[in-house]
Amino acid sequence: MKTKKKNTLPYHLMLLPGVIFLLVFSIAPMFGVIIAFQDFIPTMGIKGSEWVGLDNFKYMFQLPDTWLIFRNTLVIAVGKMVLTLAASIFFAILLNELRLVKVKKVVQTVAYLPHFLSWVILATIFRDMLDANGIINQILTGLGILKEPVVFLGSNVTFQPVMILSDAWKEFGYGAVIFIAALAGINTELYEAAEMDGAGRLRKIWHITLPGIRQTIVLVATLNIAGVLNAGFDQIYNLYSPIVYRTGDVIDTYVYRMGFMNAQFSLATAVGLMKSAVSFLLIFASYKLADKFANYRIF
């Protein structure tokens, strides 16, 4: 027994920083959810603030902003997941069709590089590109597609599509990695047999490639359900403004504004706790679906 503990000690020490990080930043802050059931006053602290039960949750559902931010969150999050998944699959298949190995590696590296860039950096670039005098407006007006420049980040009509498209551009290359790995596992003899039968590239993709990665597609899609309420705080916070609150404000940005800018700590905590509760149910449902349709289990 002592020998076993001695052998596993390095692995436990390796896990220790991660465990400490989890305890400090994820477990310990959970004590703060008590604020959702209080009329929290910072000067009185959690212990001195008055308990109000579920009043903050009742007030939350009476606000028209609540339903608006939930709707915005769902529209943006689902749009991102669907478009990113579709773009990742499409890109992985196209990359799989390339025969030049060096070109394939260069294209793949360039495609997933944006994933590692912070939205703080990308937001500055997109603001310049999507400005009224930016390159996008210059191209669209030059081609005659637009009669006059459009401020894409200042319009409630275009803000959500910009969030969805820009996030898909940033993540599709990285998201394609798992599909590229799945494509590598398809038996090449199937393609050779199909080619002998006279099948072209499109037929081979439709009848061999897509069925070969179908289980991976289902698995990724079902696991993505767990993140349906995560619309991307860092992206939206760095790109939106009060002009587009009606279509750009999501749960995370609303909690930030209510808590840190408007000092409505109890309301902000109640909204955040509601999101966490719904997210937990979605995680549970996604793993059940993954187990049923893709035979994926953790335990």
Side-chain angles (χ1 to χ4, degrees):
M1 189 67 178
K2 290 182 178 180
T3 305
K4 185 177 181 181
K5 287 183 178 180
K6 186 177 180 180
N7 292 336
T8 57
L9 182 60
Y11 301 107
H12 287 89
L13 292 175
M14 184 176 65
L15 287 172
L16 187 59
V19 172
I20 293 173
F21 184 89
L22 185 67
L23 289 172
V24 173
F25 294 101
S26 297
I27 306 300
M30 289 179 67
F31 178 72
V33 300
I34 297 174
I35 297 173
F37 305 95
Q38 294 179 322
D39 180 15
F40 179 72
I41 301 174
T43 55
M44 299 181 67
I46 293 178
K47 293 183 179 180
S49 297
E50 180 185 356
W51 286 87
V52 294
L54 299 175
D55 287 355
N56 289 316
F57 293 92
K58 294 177 182 177
Y59 178 63
M60 175 183 69
F61 287 115
Q62 291 172 357
L63 292 173
D65 289 347
T66 302
W67 303 109
L68 186 65
I69 61 171
F70 270 94
R71 186 192 67 185
N72 292 341
T73 302
L74 287 173
V75 170
I76 295 174
V78 172
K80 286 180 178 181
M81 287 189 297
V82 172
L83 184 59
T84 303
L85 180 63
S88 298
I89 296 169
F90 184 71
F91 176 71
I93 293 174
L94 288 181
L95 203 64
N96 188 60
E97 293 297 313
L98 282 176
R99 295 293 178 260
L100 299 174
V101 178
K102 291 184 178 180
V103 175
K104 183 185 295 188
K105 289 181 178 180
V106 172
V107 172
Q108 184 178 353
T109 302
V110 171
Y112 74 64
L113 184 62
H115 169 79
F116 300 99
L117 297 178
S118 168
W119 272 113
V120 177
I121 298 171
L122 291 176
T124 305
I125 298 172
F126 276 109
R127 283 185 181 278
D128 291 337
M129 291 176 60
L130 299 171
D131 189 65
N133 298 318
I135 187 172
I136 301 298
N137 272 300
Q138 291 180 16
I139 293 173
L140 294 178
T141 52
L143 294 174
I145 299 174
L146 293 177
K147 294 182 179 179
E148 57 184 21
V150 175
V151 183
F152 292 97
L153 296 176
S155 169
N156 283 303
V157 176
T158 58
F159 185 80
Q160 287 183 352
V162 169
M163 293 300 100
I164 294 170
L165 289 170
S166 59
D167 186 78
W169 166 82
K170 183 177 183 292
E171 300 295 339
F172 83 92
Y174 187 78
V177 172
I178 188 172
F179 298 110
I180 294 171
L183 288 169
I186 299 177
N187 191 347
T188 56
E189 293 181 358
L190 295 173
Y191 292 105
E192 295 172 0
E195 193 171 349
M196 291 179 64
D197 290 338
R201 281 198 173 188
L202 290 178
R203 284 190 173 274
K204 286 189 285 186
I205 290 172
W206 183 257
H207 293 288
I208 299 174
T209 304
L210 287 175
I213 61 173
R214 180 174 54 193
Q215 190 172 16
T216 305
I217 295 172
V218 172
L219 175 61
V220 173
T222 51
L223 293 180
N224 280 345
I225 295 174
V228 77
L229 292 183
N230 293 320
F233 170 81
D234 49 351
Q235 178 199 21
I236 295 174
Y237 179 74
N238 283 288
L239 289 172
Y240 85 151
S241 62
I243 302 173
V244 291
Y245 277 170
R246 186 168 61 84
T247 56
D249 215 11
V250 295
I251 296 174
D252 293 330
T253 56
Y254 182 79
V255 169
Y256 175 83
R257 288 198 302 109
M258 289 297 104
F260 289 97
M261 298 174 68
N262 296 349
Q264 297 187 35
F265 302 106
S266 296
L267 175 62
T269 307
V271 175
L273 182 58
M274 178 59 67
K275 177 200 170 185
S276 299
V278 176
S279 297
F280 175 78
L281 294 176
L282 290 173
I283 291 172
F284 180 78
S286 67
Y287 280 107
K288 284 292 183 182
L289 291 172
D291 180 29
K292 181 177 181 181
F293 295 107
N295 296 321
Y296 174 82
R297 298 186 63 135
I298 296 180
F299 304 108

